[in-house]
Amino acid sequence: MSTHDAPNDRRGRPSRRGMLCGAGVALGLPWLESLTPRPLRAEAPGTRRRFLPIYLPNGAHEYWRPATAGSGPAWQLGSILEPFGAALKSKLTIVSNLENGSVFNADGSAHIEPSHALLGGAWLTCVDTVAARARLGVAEAAGISVDQVLARHAAFRGKTALDSLQVGLSTPLGSCDNEPCSSTRSISWAGSTSPMYKLVDPLEVFNRIVGVTRPAEPDAAAALEAKKRIARNKSVLDAVLENASRTRARLGARDQARMDEFLESVRGVERRVVGVSAGMGGLACALPSGYTGLRVEQSASAPRQTTKDYDKGVHADAMNALIALAFECDVTRVISYMLEDERSEFTYDNVPERAFTAESSSPKGGACPEYHTAQHAGGDVFATLTWWNVGKAADLCRKLDSIEEAPGTSVLDNTVVLFGACMHAGDHAADRLPVALVGGANLGLGGDRHLVLDKRPLRDLHFTLLNDVYGLGVTDFGEHKAGRPPQSIRELLKA
Amino acid sequence: MTPRSNGTFVQRCAFIGACAGVALALTFAPGCGDGTPRTASGTGGRGAGGVPGSGGSGGADPGSKAMHRLNGTEYNATVADILGTTLQPATGNWRGGEVGGFDNMAAVLGVDELQYGRYLDAAKTLATEVMASEPLRSRFVDCALDDRDCASASIARAGARLFRRPLDGDERQTYLRVYESSRELGDDGNAAFTLALQALLSSAEFLYRIELDPEPASSAAHRLGAYELASRLSYFLWSSAPDEALLDAAASGTVLSDDGLGATVDRMLDDPRAERLATNFAGQWLGAREVLVHPVAPKFWQWSLRTAQAASQEIVFYFGDFLRSDRSWFEFPEADFNYVDGELAYFYGIPADVTGFGTFQRLENRTDRRAGFLGLAGFLAVTSLDRRTSPSRRGRWIASTLLCTEPPAPPPNVPELEREDGPDGGAATPANIRASLERHRRDPGCAACHALFDPYGLALEEFDAIGLARKTYEDGVAIDAAVTFPPSPSYPDGLRFQGLDGLAHAVATNPNFGTCLARKLFTYGLGRTLTTQDEPHLARARAAWLAPGQTPSVRRLIRALVTTDGFRSRRADDGPVMP
């Protein structure tokens, strides 16, 4: 979305929009040489609290789980988690024995079908979508997701130009597991009936980030033209709102609810138009002026993409850079990130198969089959794809850790990265979930630890984040079929 | 896991209590023990037997449907048809809404701020393009736009096409005000009208198909208005807005009469835009889209992206042949023709004088063992795993997709045919899938369910995972494509057949085969999932379709479906049950 036109006639000249924030961008983006980031807000760096769930599709290979429990030298990264490396190990907690089956089964059974859709949709919501749909009488439902509880709370809302951002790397629009696609293609929910689909095109993400900033107008004539542009946009939106409101009055109750969803979307855009004109979105650093890097389009009918025209590694690197940019410039503090859609059938032709033991891996050669088949096949092909995705998550964490915020602390220290999958492995089980917490040292999270819990609901982890890490004081989150109330996982917190 | 395209659950066994069927009537009996597929509302099927309510659907509930946002395909087709643009603003990144195998389901086509932003951007681009081109501009403008009355008339003309009905006075005022505010900013008439056009293209009344109830608080059924019916028809048959002729038929009320409706359907199916029905309906139902993204292992060097594209296109053309011709639908499994370009002819080994890629020719070829829909490479590939055939997957696909009988969900903790063999074992691919499957089915719990769909797939084992003919498995054992179904109410003596031909005949004569097309077309045409309330409408359409003395063509079925009250009527919803 661009509610104003980015000025691109000033490219090459240093300006407020001339540049990004130091993080060393490895992409071929036409981002200009560095200007000194300048904080525009009173809020001191280092007091920003962020949340970044990173979704790993299709479970994880068994070698995810470290061999031993404990802290420091008592535990080691195995072959799958190796990409985090020693430096990030000190900021990493692996949490074993979380389960999400109790959302669906009163007896806590880990068997759920269709597993990809139901467990994927419950990863950040801990809500049984089938029961929610029946209860609400709608075709598509879950519950508000943990990232959106944060984004909509006064501690977050209004602090940044964007409440939150949803991004991902999926390209083929594959099977949705016979459920509404919101369950496999999105993890964030604004409310019980509002899935938040993600952006996969780096250009759209870029525009979303810069689209909420006000360009500095070089002179009075340009400022007047900008004013007119906003007035024209506003007159379009006013007409749309006026007519839709009139139509709404003639609709039945269900369509009125649907029209309200439309009206809210239009007003959201309008707020941004007005907000930009009012100079909303004071940024901690200046943004680059344009983007000509990788473009990505999802497709249900385009030919299967191959290394010839698409490299998921490049896509991941571009998205990682944009996420880091959004955090560094404080455009938003809540981002959810899907490394792929759940039940992905993407063929990673560009990832050579590796040979794995529990401790290490080495090149093996040969191509991996598509992801979902690999998940079922298990063995090296599945381990390779888990490892590759772990590597991309680790790259992002490293990048966030390289951005200094207050002296001696990094963006990562002020961010909780929740990295994991909705199911265990090829068995599709809802227990023994692969879960990692990275960063968050300034938010009270410990690190360098493999924590093996007695079986606990995933919801307890979300509840702990909301209450003990972000201090929101919520009394409930998600569901438990047997009615057990959520409880904090104290072991996660620094003593 | 997905019945349609998951490759592994079908190798699981036993059974969990309740079967998976939901609203759509057709399920297997719980437990699968008696091997009896059944429907919730009679047997349905070819012929009159077991069809309830053959007296008609008068008074039956037509159902309600949410206001219906255009999906990306419909958006692109609509702006192409109305504006004459070649721009295709909707991409795969646009928010879609897919459930039950179709991407035009109203209930899941929600909108959010991100998607609305894309609409705004597209509206601006489109309006600017249209007004920069004299031929496109002249569709709506034939006077000087600096004149306010000219602008008002042009807004009415564009609005009637975009909203698919005439604008009322208030609406004309609303969009004229956009023009006026633009003029007040100093813009000329052309720029000001461009902005008004942009507003029309950004409006809910364009982006959604909205159907009104005279009394929103009452849930009584009522006939659709003529313009609403016209839009239902055009989005069903053309994936696009009504053209001028259809709007005229709505204005005069012609489209409301049985005869007028029938004539309208005939005209629309004869129009080239009806190809979109084959592309979008059959493309989704019969897996043509999926062929394009279906993974195929590198060992199948004969398969390339071009093969996939050609095989996908062939499925669409094959269905399109039945849509255009007056041929019986029941020949679909057996008709011996193919659509090939150079790529696919070479792949099939069919002698043909077509050369090159993407130019297709219809060929009747009776010299090979390949015939009918079930012999198409696209079907055979998309129902296989990437590196081997899966008879269970093919069988289940036939049962659920072509026969609308939904086998149950797989049970927990069952063995898989291909499992993790340890860190260096990788995935073992069985050399002889029939033998593996038979070992797997020795468990009586497995056998009950697998017996209901595996035989369909086993009959196709003479075609490999990309649809090439073969005689033996990789272990050298000759392929046995003879299969047996256990006795069932439809087939008290069981059913035995052999190979592709036997299977094709079994599918064509299966009592669910015709009904299934009717269900799929009705689902797609209405843009909502069916419920038991739709059964009387389906029964009525089926009876008209299969009346003796007529060829049961696809066209005839479409005419029967749109003439039912299920298509021509609606009622207000029962109210939201919101949190």
Side-chain angles (χ1 to χ4, degrees), chain A residues 107-428:
Chain A
D107 64 0
S109 155
H111 176 71
I112 318 287
E113 287 293 345
S115 56
H116 289 285
L118 300 194
L119 293 175
W123 190 59
L124 290 185
T125 64
C126 297
V127 166
D128 175 352
T129 174
V130 177
R133 290 200 301 255
R135 187 171 63 245
L136 302 173
V138 294
E140 198 164 48
I144 188 167
S145 53
V146 62
D147 57 312
Q148 292 304 307
V149 174
L150 286 173
R152 279 144 210 280
H153 191 275
F156 285 80
R157 184 160 240 181
K159 296 259 160 78
T160 55
L162 293 177
D163 289 340
S164 67
L165 195 57
Q166 292 75 40
V167 299
L169 304 180
S170 57
T171 48
L173 291 167
S175 162
C176 297
D177 222 16
N178 263 23
E179 287 281 306
C181 297
S182 45
S183 290
T184 48
R185 294 181 189 164
S186 61
I187 48 176
S188 295
W189 286 72
S192 306
T193 57
S194 316
M196 300 178 80
Y197 282 90
K198 62 199 179 300
L199 299 172
V200 303
D201 183 354
L203 175 66
E204 277 203 303
V205 177
F206 178 86
N207 286 342
R208 187 78 178 147
I209 293 173
V210 303
V212 293
T213 64
R214 184 174 57 162
E217 303 301 343
D219 53 44
L224 179 65
E225 197 38 58
K227 239 182 179 160
K228 284 188 181 177
R229 199 165 52 227
I230 288 162
R232 286 189 201 100
N233 282 335
K234 197 161 178 338
S235 111
V236 165
L237 294 173
D238 285 347
V240 169
L241 288 167
E242 182 178 300
N243 214 40
S245 304
R246 225 165 18 223
T247 300
R248 184 189 181 281
R250 303 171 66 193
L251 297 174
R254 190 173 294 179
D255 275 353
Q256 283 192 342
R258 176 131 298 194
M259 189 62 104
D260 287 341
E261 181 186 77
F262 175 82
L263 289 166
E264 192 174 314
S265 306
V266 180
R267 290 194 190 107
V269 171
E270 188 170 47
R271 270 197 301 278
R272 251 186 253 305
V273 170
V274 176
V276 167
S277 71
M280 182 182 78
L283 299 174
C285 64
L287 287 162
S289 62
Y291 178 87
T292 57
L294 180 77
R295 298 292 315 274
V296 172
E297 184 177 324
Q298 293 179 288
S299 176
S301 55
R304 185 168 59 98
Q305 282 165 316
T306 66
T307 45
K308 278 202 295 294
D309 45 24
Y310 172 78
D311 184 331
K312 192 172 286 295
V314 173
H315 191 183
D317 295 343
M319 204 60 87
N320 284 352
L322 288 163
I323 290 170
L325 177 73
F327 274 167
E328 182 177 12
C329 295
D330 206 26
V331 170
T332 186
R333 296 178 189 176
V334 177
I335 301 178
S336 69
Y337 183 18
M338 296 184 81
L339 291 168
E340 254 289 333
D341 287 349
E342 182 53 40
R343 204 193 175 288
S344 161
E345 290 183 329
F346 185 78
T347 302
Y348 291 73
D349 327 47
N350 56 325
V351 179
E353 188 179 345
R354 297 173 70 83
F356 280 80
T357 66
E359 293 77 32
S360 65
S361 68
S362 55
K364 178 178 178 180
C368 295
E370 56 89 4
Y371 204 157
H372 185 242
T373 299
Q375 183 199 12
H376 282 278
D380 284 344
V381 285
F382 184 42
T384 301
L385 295 182
T386 310
W387 171 86
W388 187 89
N389 278 293
V390 167
K392 289 305 172 190
D395 284 350
L396 176 54
C397 292
R398 228 181 330 273
K399 188 181 281 287
L400 297 179
D401 204 30
S402 72
I403 305 171
E404 190 174 57
E405 203 152 41
T409 72
S410 69
V411 166
L412 184 65
D413 295 331
N414 296 312
T415 305
V416 175
V417 178
L418 166 61
F419 175 47
C422 74
M423 61 176 61
H424 172 239
D427 59 4
H428 294 67

Side-chain angles (χ1 to χ4, degrees), chain B residues 189-212:
Chain B
N190 209 57
F193 176 76
T194 308
L195 200 65
L197 185 57
Q198 197 184 320
L200 288 167
L201 283 162
S202 308
S203 292
E205 294 73 14
F206 168 66
L207 299 169
Y208 291 80
R209 283 189 275 148
I210 299 171
E211 295 168 351
L212 298 174

Side-chain angles (χ1 to χ4, degrees), chain B residues 357-435:
Chain B
F357 170 66
T359 308
F360 284 81
Q361 187 181 0
R362 187 182 191 279
L363 282 180
E364 305 222 356
N365 178 27
R366 303 185 189 285
T367 61
D368 62 358
R369 291 186 293 148
R370 189 184 301 276
F373 172 76
L374 300 166
L376 300 186
F379 156 77
L380 290 162
V382 86
T383 54
S384 298
L385 298 180
D386 66 336
R387 76 208 96 113
R388 64 162 170 86
T389 61
S390 166
S392 299
R393 179 167 158 144
R394 277 184 183 160
R396 190 174 175 136
W397 194 96
I398 290 169
S400 67
T401 305
L402 285 185
L403 302 175
C404 292
T405 48
E406 195 60 57
N413 304 321
V414 291
E416 297 184 7
L417 286 182
E418 295 169 45
R419 74 187 77 177
E420 189 165 346
D421 288 324
D424 51 8
T429 300
N432 182 330
I433 189 67
R434 181 167 187 141

Side-chain angles (χ1 to χ4, degrees), chain B residues 129-292:
Chain B
E129 197 222 29
V130 165
M131 294 305 286
S133 148
E134 189 48 40
L136 300 188
R137 183 180 182 274
S138 64
R139 291 186 172 209
F140 308 126
V141 182
D142 61 0
C143 44
L145 283 170
D146 281 350
D147 173 40
R148 184 176 175 280
D149 291 342
C150 168
S152 178
S154 304
I155 286 169
R157 202 169 300 136
R161 291 302 308 279
L162 292 169
F163 289 6
R164 304 167 286 264
R165 56 163 175 81
L167 268 55
D168 66 27
D170 286 345
E171 287 176 326
R172 281 177 73 154
Q173 282 306 315
T174 296
Y175 295 95
L176 189 58
R177 259 201 299 283
V178 177
Y179 166 90
E180 285 168 342
S181 352
S182 179
R183 295 302 305 268
E184 282 158 22
L185 291 169
D187 297 335
D188 66 16
N190 209 57
F193 176 76
T194 308
L195 200 65
L197 185 57
Q198 197 184 320
L200 288 167
L201 283 162
S202 308
S203 292
E205 294 73 14
F206 168 66
L207 299 169
Y208 291 80
R209 283 189 275 148
I210 299 171
E211 295 168 351
L212 298 174
D213 302 299
E215 292 174 66
S218 151
S219 60
H222 61 89
R223 280 286 166 99
L224 294 173
Y227 289 105
E228 293 167 345
L229 179 60
S231 277
R232 274 202 187 187
L233 283 173
S234 70
Y235 282 93
F236 179 16
L237 305 180
W238 289 347
S239 305
S240 181
D243 61 0
E244 297 273 11
L246 184 51
L247 289 177
D248 289 346
S252 67
T254 321
V255 73
L256 295 172
S257 71
D258 286 7
D259 288 349
L261 183 55
T264 301
V265 168
D266 280 339
R267 176 182 80 84
M268 293 177 73
L269 288 177
D270 288 336
D271 187 285
R273 280 169 284 195
E275 278 172 25
R276 295 184 189 137
L277 178 59
T279 307
N280 298 327
F281 168 69
Q284 294 181 82
W285 177 39
L286 298 174
R289 285 191 192 171
E290 210 179 329
V291 174
L292 295 169

